[in-house]
Amino acid sequence: MMPLFAVICRDKPDHLQTRMETRERHLAYLAERPVVQFAGPFIEGGSPIGSLLVVEAESIAAAQDWAANDPYAQAGLFASVEVIEWRKVIG
């Protein structure tokens, strides 16, 4: 089994429209690459403000490359993206 990495993305302020316009391409990217173990948006005030994805990759560099090619990242949605190794313990 390959290592897991948490990809923690924070949206730029006032970029909800970018998120909505890019959502279908983002979901297609996730579906085309079966490295995602689970994913979903951070919510504040009822609106998405970022994303958390846990992905399987050979290395942190591979996980960072995968994250950089996400359509959301390509569209300039994120103010920050952090990729850190993660280990599942419960669940």
Side-chain angles (χ1 to χ4, degrees), residues 5-74:
F5 298 90
V7 180
I8 303 162
C9 308
R10 303 284 182 172
D11 293 3
K12 291 177 182 171
D14 301 317
H15 273 65
L16 181 58
Q17 188 63 34
T18 301
R19 177 178 276 274
M20 301 317 290
E21 290 171 355
T22 313
R23 186 170 188 271
E24 292 304 316
R25 284 182 284 145
H26 165 74
L27 294 175
Y29 181 76
L30 299 186
E32 292 167 5
R33 291 152 186 87
V35 301
V36 178
Q37 302 298 303
F38 61 86
F42 294 121
I43 304 294
E44 187 174 272
S47 294
I49 59 162
S51 301
L52 169 65
L53 307 96
V54 173
V55 300
E56 189 176 52
E58 292 180 12
S59 65
I60 194 164
Q64 289 167 329
D65 183 61
W66 178 87
N69 286 295
D70 182 326
Y72 278 167
Q74 296 287 310

